[in-house]
């Protein structure tokens, strides 16, 4: 039976949702490894950004509806997904990860996490099921799990973001774009992607390795360090 890997999307577009390259590369890597992607997103509003001017338009869109563009319509409302439905979970980056799924972009270590996202990620952590996070998404994981688990994560090498992550109780580890950081104890894998990448191929290398590492963790018995 195929392993089911949840992909938590936050919209469609780097400035107001999921980073499309990162989401598609994760989908491709999941499929190439013989697993099944289960796309999901919260049903909530987002503030639209014009991706030609990179400025907010003042209009609103829906995160679930926009995420369905990336998922080709096959997507679930995250409130209906439980950890028991999945073998692992992966969160792509894009500003939506820190503006829609949480407000880390505005509040840093004091960020609040969207309730359905928080509930599912906490369920995965409690069940010792692997969690992957790409680009800026590790900031969400750090904020949510820092006090209880103090996981090691990476967003690359940005000093300001790294400092905010450390303030959550998590530990930031510098990492090159084509590699990943593995917290084996907590089964959390993260990679910088477009926090550092200047080419899609650089993001692809790190994301492919991250997805493989997440899948490898599914097989490991609880307690291995």
């Amino acid at each position: 039976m195929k392993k089911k890997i949840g992909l938590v999307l936050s919209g469609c577009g780097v400035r107001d949702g999921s980073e499309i390259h990162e989401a598609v590369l994760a989908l491709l890597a999941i499929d190439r490894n013989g697993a099944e992607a289960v796309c999901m997103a919260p049903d909530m509003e987002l503030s639209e950004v014009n991706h030609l001017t990179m400025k907010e338009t003042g209009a609103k869109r829906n995160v679930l509806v926009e995420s369905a563009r990336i998922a080709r319509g096959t997507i679930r409302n995250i409130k209906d997904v439980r950890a028991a439905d999945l073998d692992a979970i992966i969160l792509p980056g894009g500003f939506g990860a820190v503006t829609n799924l949480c407000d880390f972009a505005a509040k840093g270590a004091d960020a609040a996490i969207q309730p359905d996202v928080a509930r599912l990620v906490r369920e995965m952590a409690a069940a010792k099921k692997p969690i992957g996070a790409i680009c800026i998404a590790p900031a969400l994981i750090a904020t949510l799990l820092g006090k209880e688990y103090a996981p090691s994560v990476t967003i690359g090498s940005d000093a300001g973001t790294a400092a905010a992550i450390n303030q959550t109780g998590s530990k930031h580890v510098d990492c090159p774009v084509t590699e990943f950081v593995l917290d084996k104890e907590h089964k959390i894998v993260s990679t910088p992607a477009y926090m550092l990448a200047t080419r899609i191929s650089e993001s692809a290398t790190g994301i492919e390795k991250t997805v493989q590492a997440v899948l490898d963790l599914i097989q490991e018995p609880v307690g291995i360090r």
Side-chain angles (χ1 to χ4, degrees):
M1 184 179 294
K2 287 185 175 181
K3 300 298 183 184
K4 295 184 182 295
I5 313 301
L7 194 72
V8 182
L9 300 173
S10 60
C12 183
V14 61
R15 291 290 174 177
D16 60 8
S18 289
E19 210 296 320
I20 296 171
H21 294 181
E22 293 172 359
V24 173
L25 287 167
L27 286 167
L28 179 60
I30 290 167
D31 182 64
R32 281 184 168 169
N33 279 280
E36 176 185 346
V38 180
C39 293
M40 66 193 76
D43 184 2
M44 60 180 287
E45 283 192 339
L46 64 83
S47 297
E48 180 190 67
V49 173
N50 180 324
H51 278 65
L52 187 61
T53 64
M54 294 301 181
K55 296 180 179 178
E56 287 196 10
T57 66
K60 298 291 184 181
R61 294 196 182 196
N62 181 278
V63 172
L64 182 58
V65 172
E66 291 299 295
S67 298
R69 294 174 180 270
I70 296 174
R72 294 172 58 86
T74 305
I75 194 164
R76 297 177 64 182
N77 188 329
I78 196 169
K79 76 178 181 64
D80 299 324
V81 182
R82 296 293 181 269
D85 303 328
L86 305 170
D87 295 293
I89 198 170
I90 296 175
L91 289 78
F95 277 89
V98 288
T99 57
N100 302 333
L101 303 187
C102 71
D103 56 4
F104 183 90
K107 297 184 178 178
D110 296 322
I113 314 298
Q114 198 277 342
D116 297 313
V117 174
R119 186 263 312 157
L120 182 57
V121 174
R122 285 191 183 280
E123 285 182 5
M124 296 297 288
K128 298 286 188 180
K129 292 188 173 183
I131 298 168
I134 299 167
C135 191
I136 192 61
L140 183 155
I141 301 301
T143 303
L144 183 62
L145 303 181
K147 289 182 180 179
E148 184 173 359
Y149 298 98
S152 295
V153 299
T154 190
I155 48 78
S157 57
D158 180 77
T161 309
I165 284 173
N166 288 333
Q167 289 171 9
T168 69
S170 300
K171 303 167 188 174
H172 182 268
V173 180
D174 283 359
C175 178
V177 64
T178 57
E179 295 299 330
F180 63 91
V181 167
L182 169 62
D183 183 327
K184 203 166 188 179
E185 178 183 358
H186 301 109
K187 293 192 173 184
I188 296 173
V189 189
S190 51
T191 190
Y194 276 109
M195 288 296 290
L196 291 178
T198 58
R199 307 193 310 276
I200 189 172
S201 57
E202 291 178 336
S203 283
T205 300
I207 290 169
E208 288 161 6
K209 290 178 179 178
T210 295
V211 171
Q212 182 64 65
V214 166
L215 290 166
D216 289 344
L217 286 170
I218 294 171
Q219 306 298 331
E220 291 192 5
V222 172
I224 285 186
R225 293 175 183 242

